Amino acid sequence: MQTPRALVLILAVLLPAPLLAQGSLADYNSRLRKINRLSAEDWYQLGLWCKSKMMWPYANEAFVKASALGSGRRAKSFYQLAEIAFGQQKDEAAAKWIAKAAKADPEDAKIKKLSGRIRAHRQARTASGIGAIVEAHKAKRHNDFIDAVIAFVGKPGRDTMEQHQEEL
């Protein structure tokens, strides 16, 4: 049985990272010893495994190595790096990685979608973020609209929009 995604996210927030990865570190070292260090595919697969275990620094390292070693996994590695950074709300890093992914594979639909989400999130975080919300709504880009609204409104529990504007 697979662990529900919501439970994993709650644990990731509440538990310290070393506690989550404690059992996985031995597995990581074992997997690291087995890979071909010159194979972009092996590094990419290790990165996916680390990402699934929420071992972000190790996943980042593996994806960076995969992107450096081979053009076959370059776009997908950049995409994974962007996804990790975006998930950690590191907008500048996410924008950098997704731009590299788009340059490596301009036709990939997943890259385009994540690029739009990152762009919407970054626009929403600015004082003119409301413009991104209206633009996404008018263009009927529902995912971008929802992402922009959530990013602009911020964390649940704020009493007023004025508090959010003061934080910006």
Side-chain angles (χ1 to χ4, degrees):
M1 186 170 110
Q2 223 176 7
T3 307
R5 190 169 181 85
L7 179 60
V8 172
L9 292 173
I10 290 169
L11 289 174
V13 171
L14 297 178
L15 296 176
L19 187 57
L20 279 175
Q22 195 171 30
S24 301
L25 196 53
D27 290 340
Y28 169 77
N29 288 326
S30 172
R31 288 172 184 269
L32 184 61
R33 282 191 294 273
K34 293 177 185 174
I35 69 168
N36 175 355
R37 305 275 174 139
L38 299 176
S39 167
E41 179 63 28
D42 284 3
W43 281 109
Y44 181 77
Q45 292 302 322
L46 180 65
L48 289 177
W49 181 84
C50 291
K51 184 179 170 191
S52 75
K53 300 295 182 188
M54 294 183 285
M55 299 171 70
W56 313 126
Y58 298 105
N60 285 342
E61 179 184 358
F63 290 131
V64 167
K65 288 182 180 179
S67 68
L69 285 172
S71 60
R73 285 296 185 179
R74 185 166 286 137
K76 291 190 183 301
S77 295
F78 290 147
Y79 173 83
Q80 294 296 332
L81 288 162
E83 196 172 59
I84 290 169
F86 187 58
Q88 295 176 335
Q89 299 201 358
K90 297 178 181 176
D91 293 348
E92 296 304 316
K96 177 185 88 168
W97 290 121
I98 204 65
K100 288 185 176 195
K103 186 176 180 182
D105 187 356
E107 300 304 316
D108 188 291
K110 285 175 62 176
I111 292 172
K112 288 179 181 180
K113 183 176 179 180
L114 183 58
S115 179
R117 291 180 66 206
I118 292 168
R119 189 172 34 261
H121 191 264
R122 290 178 76 200
Q123 288 173 347
R125 290 178 56 101
T126 65
S128 64
I130 194 71
I133 294 171
V134 172
E135 178 189 335
H137 179 66
K138 284 182 179 177
K140 299 189 188 275
R141 294 190 324 262
H142 301 293
N143 287 339
D144 291 348
F145 172 74
I146 291 168
D147 290 343
V149 169
I150 290 170
F152 188 77
V153 172
K155 297 177 240 167
R158 283 205 181 86
D159 293 331
T160 65
M161 188 59 107
E162 288 78 26
Q163 286 177 329
H164 180 64
Q165 289 291 3
E166 289 173 8
E167 290 176 22
L168 291 178

